Amino acid sequence: NLFMQQKRYQEAIEIIDAAREVVGADPELDRRYSGAKIAKFDADIEAAKASSGEEAAAAIKAERDQYVFDDIQERVGRYPNDQHLRYELAMQYFKRDQIDEAIQQFQISQKNPKDKVSSLYHLAICFRKKGLHDLAVSQLEEAMELIPSMTAEKMDIYYLLGEIELEEERYDDAATCFKEIYKVNVGYRDVAKHIE
């Protein structure tokens, strides 16, 4: 922790490695190790931007992104019942546009109460990309029931639902969704244009 606070990431990584040798498989140490490695990559990216320019930084960023993906896959293999790790893996697949793989992981991660709403929201986006609008709508409706007040997350859900309703040419239903957002935040995305 002290090394991380002082941004001495390599030393933090070495300490965590030593701890892992003593303790063995430990999800918390694995998480800390990953965090330290990513922090070191981020520091290296900033240093590269300052000294070598954007191209060198982009190469390190690509290396970091690959490390994050490989690391999460590996940790899911070690701890298959960790639903939050499943969520992190699903988000990696989602970012890489690997929709079928993302769906599979989001379906598991939604069992974790902390990640349920976000998992349902991203599942809806995945189903929409596959043209399965009815499944997307059911995920969004389930997610909406879990959020009692109008939060930013709920506005995202209403907006996506509104867009799907527009694609399905159900204009009254789309208008209802957009009006729910408009009532509380006129400046949200382009909801004012949709209302007009």
Side-chain angles (χ1 to χ4, degrees):
N1 283 340
L2 286 169
F3 283 140
M4 287 297 287
Q5 286 165 15
Q6 294 171 7
K7 299 184 179 179
R8 293 159 64 183
Y9 303 121
Q10 188 54 46
E11 290 162 287
I13 289 165
E14 287 164 13
I15 291 286
I16 296 165
D17 257 341
R20 286 162 96 190
E21 280 182 33
V22 173
V23 176
D26 180 275
E28 178 59 20
L29 281 177
D30 288 353
R31 188 185 63 75
R32 284 173 182 255
Y33 181 85
S34 299
K37 286 281 281 188
I38 293 164
K40 185 175 183 324
F41 273 121
D42 289 341
D44 291 347
I45 290 165
E46 289 308 311
K49 274 183 191 171
S51 64
S52 310
E54 290 295 328
E55 202 172 299
I60 299 169
K61 187 179 182 304
E63 192 183 338
R64 180 200 63 192
D65 293 347
Q66 189 60 49
Y67 167 78
V68 169
F69 181 70
D70 293 342
D71 176 62
I72 291 172
Q73 272 194 315
E74 192 182 303
R75 286 194 288 151
V76 165
R78 282 201 301 273
Y79 313 109
N81 297 327
D82 186 328
Q83 290 161 348
H84 182 68
L85 270 182
R86 295 292 191 141
Y87 174 76
E88 288 183 25
L89 180 58
M91 289 302 291
Q92 287 298 313
Y93 282 132
F94 184 78
K95 285 177 193 167
R96 291 164 174 257
D97 216 29
Q98 293 177 252
I99 300 303
D100 291 331
E101 292 87 346
I103 288 171
Q104 187 180 5
Q105 297 303 322
F106 281 130
Q107 286 173 333
I108 297 168
S109 70
Q110 70 170 304
K111 293 171 187 157
N112 180 356
K114 282 185 177 177
D115 298 319
K116 187 170 181 76
V117 171
S118 184
S119 295
L120 289 168
Y121 175 74
H122 285 91
L123 266 172
I125 294 172
C126 291
F127 286 139
R128 179 189 184 191
K129 284 183 177 185
K130 289 179 76 69
L132 303 168
H133 288 173
D134 53 337
L135 288 176
V137 168
S138 70
Q139 303 301 307
L140 293 170
E141 286 170 347
E142 187 180 343
M144 250 190 279
E145 287 173 20
L146 300 169
I147 309 172
S149 57
M150 186 59 86
T151 61
E153 203 170 25
K154 193 162 188 172
M155 283 189 267
D156 289 343
I157 292 166
Y158 267 119
Y159 189 85
L160 181 57
L161 188 55
E163 285 189 322
I164 292 169
E165 299 293 11
L166 275 181
E167 286 169 20
E168 291 287 307
E169 298 182 2
R170 293 192 291 259
Y171 300 115
D172 289 344
D173 293 338
T176 302
C177 293
F178 293 131
K179 282 177 185 172
E180 286 298 319
I181 301 168
Y182 195 75
K183 278 194 283 190
V184 293
N185 186 350
V186 178
Y188 179 87
R189 296 197 200 178
D190 59 351
V191 78
K193 277 187 188 171
H194 281 307
I195 295 296
E196 285 165 26

